Amino acid sequence: MYSNKFGRLMFGLKGLKATSACGAFQRAAARSGFNWAAVCKQRTLWQQRSACAGMHQTGSAIHTTVDPGEVKRFQLLANKWWDEEGEFAALHAMNDLRVPFVRDNLLNAQRERHPGQPLAGLRILDVGCGGGLLSEPLGRLGATVSGIDPVEDSVRIAQQHAAHDPDLRDRVSYRACTLEELAGEGEAQLEPEPEQGVTQFDAVVASEVVEHLADLDTFAVCCSRVLKPGGSLFITTLNKTNLSYALAIVVAEQLLHIVPRGTHDWEKFISPVELERLLESNGFLVQSVQGMLYNPISGAWSWTNNTEINYALHAVKQDDKAEDGSTPPGGHNEVAHS
């Protein structure tokens, strides 16, 4: 069992401002013998090594979202996706927030209502679907969900698990491929629409994915390509702060083992401001950003105004008319969460 001390240390920060959250962490860390200065020093060394490595790279973009090291890491965990008490327990619990986040924002932009199946008629792409932890509940809400993942064993597990539920067989499908392959191969699309060339979706979901990708520019371009004008992009990820480094990597991985060691690379984390800038440069308009906190004692997630650690983002792909400043479908009145 995790101690109450570390439970308060990690994620009992709801409602705190960034400065007070950091101060609370440092005070709790000092009482537990945790060396905050050493953590910051280690993170600085990582930044310096990353900068040096970047100086020796040529070319502008990698043009692939896949990091071979990440694929290998998740390949080893593929058989554990549906163990609700295992390595992916926090992702199972996150459905309490991310499923309503997707559902409510999509419903706010929809005029038609389907009692019992609120997302009926919508096509959703789940990028980095893993074992289908998010694809399945979205399918049960009536959406037609296509899950993609470069890890073949994860896709196999997802297919096997969905096959046990008759209600999902015609709604949820999976494919072992990358986002750029889906965006670029007209002949290999999921449920192809030849008249459009590239299959287009009403929504793209990338939950706990972008912090594992090799090239975020390619990710943003491909998301725009597979989305319909006015379509929604949903992202949950980790902010790039001292606090996220200390809690998500040092504490969660090295001390409490909530997730396997090496799961996260702090250099791949991205701040909401940077992510919004990237998306807007690729034709998106960010509608909402909401902080998220995980409590390892209760195993539950909660919403917060503090985005220093985890956050959820909703953006809408603008159409040609929105380019001149008009409001995209859904406008700015969309809900942040339920």
Side-chain angles (χ1 to χ4, degrees), residues 74-76 78-79 81 130-131 150-158 176:
F74 282 98
Q75 188 80 29
L76 297 174
N79 291 322
W81 278 107
V151 181
E152 294 184 2
D153 283 352
S154 292
V155 171
R156 173 180 53 81
I157 293 297

Side-chain angles (χ1 to χ4, degrees), residues 49-120:
R49 286 198 298 268
S50 177
C52 291
M55 293 174 61
H56 293 87
Q57 293 179 348
T58 58
S60 56
I62 303 173
H63 301 305
T64 178
T65 59
V66 175
D67 182 328
E70 299 280 5
V71 172
K72 182 178 180 180
R73 184 175 299 112
F74 282 98
Q75 188 80 29
L76 297 174
L77 297 170
N79 291 322
K80 301 180 179 181
W81 278 107
W82 288 97
D83 179 3
E84 296 186 18
E85 304 298 326
E87 282 84 346
F88 297 113
L91 285 183
H92 282 273
M94 189 183 285
N95 278 354
D96 290 342
L97 295 191
R98 58 184 181 175
V99 173
F101 184 73
V102 173
R103 179 199 64 202
D104 294 349
N105 280 290
L106 288 178
L107 286 179
N108 191 70
Q110 292 295 115
R111 295 181 180 178
E112 297 184 7
R113 291 292 182 263
H114 304 273
Q117 295 184 358
L119 299 185

Side-chain angles (χ1 to χ4, degrees), residues 216-217 220-222 224 277-284 317-318:
L216 289 184
D217 290 310
V221 169
C222 291
S224 179
R277 184 181 300 117
L278 171 66
L279 294 177
E280 289 186 345
S281 68
N282 284 280
F284 288 93
K317 176 183 175 180
Q318 300 184 79

